[in-house]
Amino acid sequence: MSGGEVAGILVAVFWAILVSFLAVALARLAQTLKATTRLVADVTDQAVPLLAGATEAVRSAQTQLDRVDSIASDVQEVTQNASALSSTVASTFGGPLVKVAAFGYGVRRAVGRKSAPADPPPTERTRRTVIVGRTVPTARRGRRKKD
């Protein structure tokens, strides 16, 4: 055997090894592609019903929102009617009721003055001071505890 024949045999062996590795790689790539195709098909099979359910949920939500919108408009109309009614009642009965109340107060004061003696004007001892919504008793005001 000559050097050329040995070189040819070595090239053929390396070529056979390379083709074997490529065949294994292609076989694994084909398996990966088959698995990917199955996965995509499964996802598609599951996604279609999910999308249909989501579509139905959105339609139902839209129906409910339409109902709520109509209820809100009805409530707004009732509120406007109640406001108009209260304004009408206030303008119709408000003035006369204030006059009747003022008249009743005047009558009570007049009757009260005739039957009760006049109150003496408040003195410094009987007057009370109001501080932040509270009345300070006269006994405590101005006195300090002596040690």
Side-chain angles (χ1 to χ4, degrees), residues 74-86:
D74 291 343
V75 167
Q76 183 179 10
E77 184 179 337
V78 167
T79 302
Q80 289 173 349
N81 291 341
S83 175
L85 180 64
S86 68

Side-chain angles (χ1 to χ4, degrees), residues 71-132:
I71 290 169
S73 65
D74 291 343
V75 167
Q76 183 179 10
E77 184 179 337
V78 167
T79 302
Q80 289 173 349
N81 291 341
S83 175
L85 180 64
S86 68
S87 298
T88 303
V89 168
S91 65
T92 304
F93 296 115
L97 285 178
V98 169
K99 290 177 184 176
V100 168
F103 178 74
Y105 177 73
V107 168
R108 276 196 317 263
R109 291 274 308 222
V111 169
R113 284 190 180 175
K114 286 184 179 180
S115 64
D119 291 334
T123 63
E124 188 65 31
R125 287 289 251 159
T126 60
R127 197 168 14 156
R128 295 178 179 238
T129 305
V130 176
I131 300 174
V132 191

Side-chain angles (χ1 to χ4, degrees), residues 7-61:
I9 291 175
L10 284 175
V11 169
V13 168
F14 284 123
W15 186 256
I17 292 173
L18 178 66
V19 168
S20 299
F21 282 131
L22 288 176
V24 169
L26 285 175
R28 291 197 178 185
L29 181 63
Q31 289 176 352
T32 303
L33 287 175
K34 284 180 185 177
T36 304
T37 303
R38 272 187 269 126
L39 179 65
V40 168
D42 290 343
V43 167
T44 303
D45 291 342
Q46 292 175 3
V48 169
L50 286 176
L51 288 175
T55 303
E56 184 61 33
V58 168
R59 284 186 186 137
S60 175

